Amino acid sequence: MIMEQLQQIDHYVMQWFNELKYSLPTMLKKMDLQTKTSRFDLVTNVDKAIEQSFEQLMITKFPGHQLYGEEAHHDTQRLREGFTWVLDPIDGTANLVKQQDDFCVILALFYNSEPVLSYIYDYPRQKLFQAVKGKGVYLNGVHLPSPPTMPLEDSLISFNNKVLNDVTMHDLLDASFGYRLIGACGLDSAKVFTGQFGVHIHTNAKPWDIGAQFLFAEMLGLKMTDFHEQPIDFIYGGPFIISNPGCYEETLRILLQKGGYQK
Ligand code: NAP
Ligand code: CA
Ligand code: CA
């Protein structure tokens, strides 16, 4: 695959995000809520419509590419070969439903299992994070530098407090500067891209929660692994940490020392 081809694909995707910016307000006005496996497992017609809209773009502009999307595209058979898109059409659906705020679209393209394009679109704040392999990382078109290396004691840390045991949670709170959780894995991760957070942990990330983070982490010099410092398989997801390099080892040591989390 050549750079020109990648830039052409990026161009169409940026156009799609721009169109989404104008179509989303109407979609949100007609939002209709459904539950999936429990009263906390929410999905809306907006999640489904965004996934369908991206599928349409893919069929017309990128025939031969495959889609691995949260709402309707779960076939994993051939995802490691050729071009595979991983999409979370709305990350932070609970936030969308309860607050009409703090939700995003997470989108990533893999070529032969390597991440080559990534996007996190924070619609409420109109922030589009974009990473193009071999070219650069951008926020709304402006180059985004790597964050400075920060120790855990000076950093904000983010995790879902329902899934850590109390001792581990308090050890992490004591070791860090403070705690914040947005409640959308893409947006909590993007805070690590910019250095606003030192760490985000998700103990049971689905592939679409973290598809875009691989390339951002690689290009910004961040750590992104499971809790045993091993790479994460983009098809399966699983325990996930994205971290500033200055916070990574201490966070993992605390997380593991008292057996402190559930999936
Ligand atoms: P939430 O506000 O619904 O979601 C927070 C983030 O977690 C979003 O990125 C969301 O993606 C994702 N998420 C939602 N349901 C999930 C699930 N069952 N497993 C893994 N990730 C999920 O979170 P919440 O209201 O605090 O919790 C909802 C459920 O998710 C609970 O069962 C909670 O334990 C679990 N959860 C687990 C973790 C973890 O670290 N293990 C983190 C968050 C949530 P979407 O908006 O695309 O669904
Ligand atoms: Ca998600
Ligand atoms: Ca989702």
Side-chain angles (χ1 to χ4, degrees):
M1 188 201 28
I2 46 173
M3 192 65 204
E4 215 169 277
Q5 188 184 7
L6 202 56
Q7 284 185 330
Q8 183 65 16
I9 298 171
D10 174 57
H11 170 77
Y12 284 124
V13 175
M14 293 297 279
Q15 238 173 20
W16 180 75
F17 276 116
N18 195 45
E19 285 160 17
L20 194 60
K21 174 176 163 182
Y22 295 103
S23 55
L24 249 176
T26 313
M27 288 161 122
L28 293 174
K29 272 192 201 136
K30 296 180 189 160
M31 188 165 79
D32 174 31
L33 178 66
Q34 293 143 34
T35 51
K36 293 198 269 191
T37 55
S38 75
R39 74 187 178 96
F40 297 111
D41 192 4
L42 306 176
V43 66
T44 75
N45 54 335
V46 179
D47 303 51
K48 292 175 184 169
I50 293 175
E51 189 160 317
Q52 279 163 8
S53 163
F54 185 77
E55 184 182 20
Q56 214 44 51
L57 173 81
M58 205 185 74
I59 290 167
T60 47
K61 301 290 186 202
F62 322 130
H65 289 204
Q66 308 175 78
L67 177 58
Y68 189 32
E70 178 174 13
E71 302 310 332
H73 298 87
H74 291 182
D75 184 357
T76 57
Q77 269 183 6
R78 292 171 34 245
L79 299 180
R80 292 189 202 283
E81 297 148 34
F83 288 100
T84 296
W85 292 93
V86 182
L87 172 66
D88 191 342
I90 296 281
D91 180 55
T93 299
N95 285 343
L96 167 61
V97 171
K98 296 294 176 192
Q99 312 188 74
Q100 296 76 56
D101 203 351
D102 292 329
F103 58 91
C104 62
V105 180
I106 305 177
L107 177 65
L109 178 64
F110 292 77
Y111 178 65
N112 290 343
S113 304
E114 293 294 324
V116 291
L117 290 175
S118 283
Y119 309 86
I120 293 182
Y121 180 35
D122 175 349
Y123 170 77
R125 285 173 189 71
Q126 282 305 310
K127 287 184 183 174
L128 178 56
F129 295 85
Q130 171 196 22
V132 181
K133 175 107 184 173
K135 190 174 170 214
V137 178
Y138 306 90
L139 170 52
N140 290 345
V142 177
H143 168 67
L144 184 71
S146 298
T149 299
M150 315 182 300
L152 184 58
E153 64 178 355
D154 292 341
S155 302
L156 294 173
I157 183 167
S158 139
F159 52 80
N160 186 310
N161 53 15
K162 291 182 197 163
V163 296
L164 298 190
N165 72 30
D166 286 357
V167 181
T168 302
M169 185 172 72
H170 283 283
D171 286 350
L172 284 171
L173 297 182
D174 289 344
S176 62
F177 187 84
Y179 171 79
R180 301 285 185 277
L181 179 72
I182 301 172
C185 188
L187 297 181
D188 282 287
S189 301
K191 291 270 184 184
V192 182
F193 305 167
T194 55
Q196 291 165 289
F197 289 179
V199 184
H200 176 57
I201 293 167
H202 193 314
T203 68
N204 187 26
K206 303 291 182 290
W208 28 83
D209 292 324
I210 57 171
Q213 286 86 323
F214 289 93
L215 187 58
F216 284 108
E218 183 185 311
M219 295 183 74
L220 292 171
L222 304 170
K223 295 284 198 176
M224 173 174 166
T225 65
D226 71 8
F227 301 154
H228 299 280
E229 306 190 28
Q230 296 304 306
I232 300 168
D233 188 327
F234 83 100
I235 295 178
Y236 296 110
F240 156 81
I241 176 171
I242 185 160
S243 173
N244 187 283
C247 305
Y248 176 70
E249 281 170 20
E250 189 179 359
T251 303
L252 283 184
R253 184 178 54 73
I254 296 169
L255 187 66
L256 296 178
Q257 71 186 355
K258 294 174 189 164
Y261 69 92
Q262 308 146 31
K263 280 199 172 177

